[in-house]
Structure formats: structure tokens, C-alpha cells
């Protein structure tokens, strides 16, 4: 009888799912930053009773890369270099200060290059004659600055912002993926995700509304640490009693959800909330985060189930690294984030 050919050792479906989803998300995020930026930009206009005005332009960037967008006023006030400019990891912020004779009312605000993108621009203008809150789109890249100018409210754009933030938040997705792999595809994952949702909703609201203030850099360190913790828990410990996170994953998800909510609020603060519709915008942003999270969980679950289905037909052994590959993939990334963010504190 011919001896059976030994099977090649290869990561199991859960390991493949973790690696493919993490690598795919990283590549998708990086590629999109260079090609199709969907995070909204923001124009804030504040006109004083004297007629002097301050115009702030917040444009999303990815590192040093930004799509070519420029705000314009028909009177030419924004054609000169800005009075100040700062760059954060997520946004480039430019500020122009206009004299009392600027006469903004009646001028046309336009965004050069907007028609060549898929980006929206939130417009929040507080003029002497009234307030404007609307959205400029590639199909409508300009508007007349007048209190009676028709236009949709800017609030619905926050739903898209929430979806975009979670789907490009690689660290948050790594945590959710680790939690999913830890709990498994059963009813326990519903409890864990619900607890995570409730927790980050509370801290997101408290921080965005100004009730609680935290150090964003410290929060980012703690978020990375939470992912390291989950990765460590993915390592099997034969013969040892199950840890707290395995016995009560919803409890740990609740605790770490508070940290992630602070981080979500930091992203929302980059754009800000509309003055007269803060609760609505906050609610839509949070719903957007949940939609993005559920989309990712559904995609991860489908990949895991698909790999389980094809596993019997594979010509190699898929058991040896089944429980180690996810832990090392997620743990390695989160350890890098932790070290990098700790270095940024000093």
C-alpha cells in the first residue's frame, strides 16, 4: 500500500481570515488615500458684526498626500496665501482673516477641483445676515453666500463620516477582528459587539459634546494596548482555566469600548459639530460607525465561513498554526502601534 503523502502545514481558516483581512484593509486604506478620498472637507466662515471675517479650510490628508482642492471667493479674498497653516496626521488646516470691507454676503464660494473627486465639503457659515449649513458636492461645487440660499443641511454628511472613519480605522478593525476570532461565530459575539457599541457610544457623546476632556495621544496609546491585550488572549493555553475575557468577553468589550469611543470622538473633533444640530450630527456619526463596524464583521464572517468550507479540499494540513497565526498577526501590528504611539508622547 502506498504511504499517504504528508500534508504541508499551513495556517487554518481563522488564521487565513485574520491575515487576509488585515493585509487587505491596509492596502485598501493606503490606495484609497492616494486615489479616492471620501472624507469630507470643511469650510467655516465666521463674520463679525464689524464685517471682519475668519475663514477656516480643513482638508483631509493622508500623511503628506492630499487631493487638489482649493476654496475660492468670487471677490478674490482667498487667492492670497493663508494667514496661518497647520498640518495634523488627518487634516491640513488653513485660516484666512479678512478685513471689515470684505463684504462676504452675495459672493460665490466655490471649491476648485471638487468636481474631479468623490469628496463632499461641509459649509458652516455664520454671516451678519444669517447662518448657512449645507454641503457642496462634486455635482454642485459652489454656492452663493446669502442667508436665504437654499441647500440641504450638512448634518447627513456625518453619517458618511462615521462609516468612513471605522472602515479606514485599521486599529479599530484589528480590535473588532480579534474580538470576533476570540468569541467565535456564535451568539456570544452579538453580546460582545453590543457591549462594545454601548460603551463607545457613551464616551463618544460625552467627549464630542465637551462634557469630558481627554488627552488624544494618551488615548491612542491605550487603544493600541487594548489590541495587544486581545492578541495575547488569542494564544491558546492548554490545561489552564479560561481567562476573564474568554468567560465574559462582553465585559472586556465594554471596558475597551470606552477607550475606543474617546478615539472616535477625536476623529469627529477634527471636523467639529454644527452649532445648531450637534445632537443630530453626533447621532448620525455614531450610526455610521455602527454601520461600518457591522459591514466589517459581516465581511470577516463570510471569509471565515468560506475558508472553513474549502478547508477539506486543501492538499495541506491547516491545524498546526490555527490558533497562533491570528495572535501573531494582530499582536505584531498592535505592538508596533503601541511603540510608535508611546514614542510620540515624548
Amino acid at each position: 500500500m502506498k504511504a499517504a503523502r504528508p500534508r504541508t502545514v499551513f495556517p487554518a481558516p481563522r488564521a487565513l481570515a485574520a491575515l487576509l483581512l488585515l493585509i487587505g484593509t491596509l492596502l485598501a486604506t493606503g490606495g484609497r488615500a492616494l486615489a479616492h478620498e471620501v472624507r469630507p472637507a470643511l469650510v467655516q466662515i465666521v463674520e463679525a458684526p464689524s464685517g471682519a471675517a475668519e475663514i477656516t479650510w480643513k482638508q483631509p490628508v493622508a500623511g503628506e498626500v492630499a487631493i487638489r482642492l482649493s476654496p475660492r471667493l468670487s471677490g478674490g479674498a482667498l487667492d492670497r496665501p493663508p494667514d496661518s497653516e497647520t498640518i495634523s496626521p488627518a487634516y491640513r488646516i488653513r485660516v484666512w482673516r479678512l478685513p471689515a470691507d470684505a463684504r462676504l454676503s452675495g459672493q460665490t464660494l466655490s471649491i476648485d477641483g471638487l468636481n474631479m473627486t468623490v469628496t463632499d465639503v461641509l459649509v458652516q457659515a455664520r454671516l451678519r445676515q444669517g447662518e448657512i449649513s449645507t454641503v457642496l458636492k462634486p455635482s454642485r461645487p459652489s454656492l452663493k453666500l446669502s442667508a436665504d440660499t437654499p441647500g440641504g443641511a450638512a448634518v447627513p454628511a456625518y453619517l458618511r463620516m462615521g462609516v468612513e472613519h471605522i472602515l479606514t480605522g485599521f486599529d479599530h478593525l484589528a480590535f473588532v477582528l480579534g474580538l470576533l476570532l476570540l468569541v467565535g461565530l456564535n451568539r456570544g459575539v452579538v453580546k460582545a459587539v453590543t457591549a462594545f457599541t454601548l460603551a463607545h457610544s457613551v464616551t463618544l457623546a460625552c467627549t464630542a459634546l465637551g462634557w469630558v476632556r481627554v488627552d488624544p495621544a494618551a488615548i491612542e496609546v491605550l487603544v493600541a494596548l487594548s489590541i495587544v491585550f486581545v492578541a495575547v488572549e488569542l494564544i491558546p493555553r492548554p490545561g489552564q482555566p479560561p481567562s476573564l475575557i474568554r468567560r465574559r468577553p462582553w465585559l472586556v468589550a465594554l471596558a475597551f469600548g470606552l477607550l475606543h469611543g474617546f478615539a472616535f470622538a477625536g476623529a469627529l473633533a477634527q471636523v467639529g459639530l454644527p452649532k445648531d444640530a450637534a445632537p443630530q450630527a453626533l447621532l448620525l456619526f455614531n450610526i455610521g460607525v455602527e454601520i461600518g463596524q457591522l459591514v466589517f464583521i459581516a465581511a470577516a464572517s463570510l471569509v471565515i465561513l468560506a475558508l472553513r468550507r474549502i478547508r477539506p479540499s486543501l492538499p495541506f494540513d491547516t491545524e498546526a498554526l490555527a490558533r497562533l497565526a491570528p495572535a501573531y498577526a494582530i499582536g505584531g501590528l498592535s505592538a508596533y502601534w503601541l511603540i510608535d504611539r508611546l514614542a510620540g508622547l515624548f
Side-chain angles (χ1 to χ4, degrees):
M1 181 180 295
K2 184 182 294 185
R5 186 178 62 181
R7 304 178 75 192
T8 305
V9 176
F10 202 77
R14 284 174 56 190
L16 285 172
L19 291 171
L20 290 175
L21 283 167
L22 286 171
I23 295 171
T25 304
L26 179 60
L27 293 176
T29 300
R32 186 199 51 77
L34 295 176
H36 301 294
E37 176 62 72
V38 298
R39 288 175 297 166
L42 172 70
V43 176
Q44 286 182 326
I45 303 175
V46 179
E47 188 177 29
S50 64
E54 182 174 278
I55 299 179
T56 302
W57 167 247
K58 292 184 179 181
Q59 179 184 358
V61 298
E64 297 182 354
V65 179
I67 54 177
R68 294 187 176 182
L69 293 177
S70 300
R72 292 282 185 268
L73 281 174
S74 55
L78 302 184
D79 293 344
R80 62 178 175 83
D83 294 290
S84 65
E85 180 174 357
T86 58
I87 298 179
S88 71
Y91 281 86
R92 175 183 295 157
I93 304 172
R94 296 176 175 176
V95 179
W96 288 266
R97 296 178 181 86
L98 280 55
D101 59 354
R103 296 188 179 91
L104 294 179
S105 182
Q107 292 195 40
T108 297
L109 171 68
S110 60
I111 309 297
D112 288 355
L114 185 60
N115 62 329
M116 303 296 293
T117 72
V118 294
T119 303
D120 293 340
V121 177
L122 309 181
V123 178
Q124 299 172 6
R126 190 185 310 163
L127 306 176
R128 288 180 294 176
Q129 293 79 10
E131 297 190 3
I132 300 173
S133 181
T134 189
V135 180
L136 295 180
K137 298 177 176 293
S139 59
R140 181 190 170 227
S142 64
L143 66 87
K144 185 177 181 180
L145 294 178
S146 174
D148 58 356
T149 298
V155 172
Y158 284 83
L159 178 67
R160 181 177 176 179
M161 288 171 56
V163 176
E164 164 66 13
H165 177 68
I166 188 66
L167 290 182
T168 58
F170 197 37
D171 50 354
H172 299 296
L173 293 182
F175 178 85
V176 173
L177 178 59
L179 197 62
L180 177 63
L181 293 172
L182 190 65
V183 177
L185 301 181
N186 54 54
R187 287 181 296 179
V189 74
V190 176
K191 293 181 180 180
V193 171
T194 301
F196 183 68
T197 295
L198 292 175
H200 76 63
S201 297
V202 170
T203 48
L204 170 59
C206 290
T207 309
L209 294 175
W211 299 342
V212 176
R213 296 185 182 278
V214 296
D215 181 355
I219 290 298
E220 291 297 331
V221 169
L222 293 176
V223 165
L225 186 61
S226 72
I227 307 170
V228 172
F229 181 84
V230 171
V232 170
E233 289 297 323
L234 287 172
I235 300 175
R237 297 177 178 82
Q240 295 187 15
S243 61
L244 175 63
I245 191 172
R246 290 187 177 274
R247 288 184 284 112
R248 299 288 188 271
W250 63 268
L251 185 60
V252 177
L254 184 71
F256 286 146
L258 297 174
L259 290 175
H260 287 251
F262 286 129
F264 292 150
L268 183 58
Q270 293 281 357
V271 172
L273 292 170
K275 180 182 177 183
D276 297 327
Q280 300 95 309
L282 178 60
L283 176 62
L284 286 177
F285 181 83
N286 198 57
I287 291 174
V289 168
E290 297 317 311
I291 292 174
Q293 183 174 281
L294 291 175
V295 167
F296 176 76
I297 291 173
S301 300
L302 288 175
V303 171
I304 293 172
L305 291 174
L307 290 173
R308 284 179 180 176
R309 187 177 183 86
I310 67 173
R311 177 182 171 187
S313 62
L314 296 176
F316 39 72
D317 187 3
T318 60
E319 290 295 335
L321 300 178
R323 297 179 183 178
L324 291 178
Y328 281 107
I330 297 174
L333 285 170
S334 57
Y336 167 78
W337 290 325
L338 178 61
I339 295 171
D340 182 61
R341 294 172 185 181
L342 277 172
L345 288 178
F346 304 100

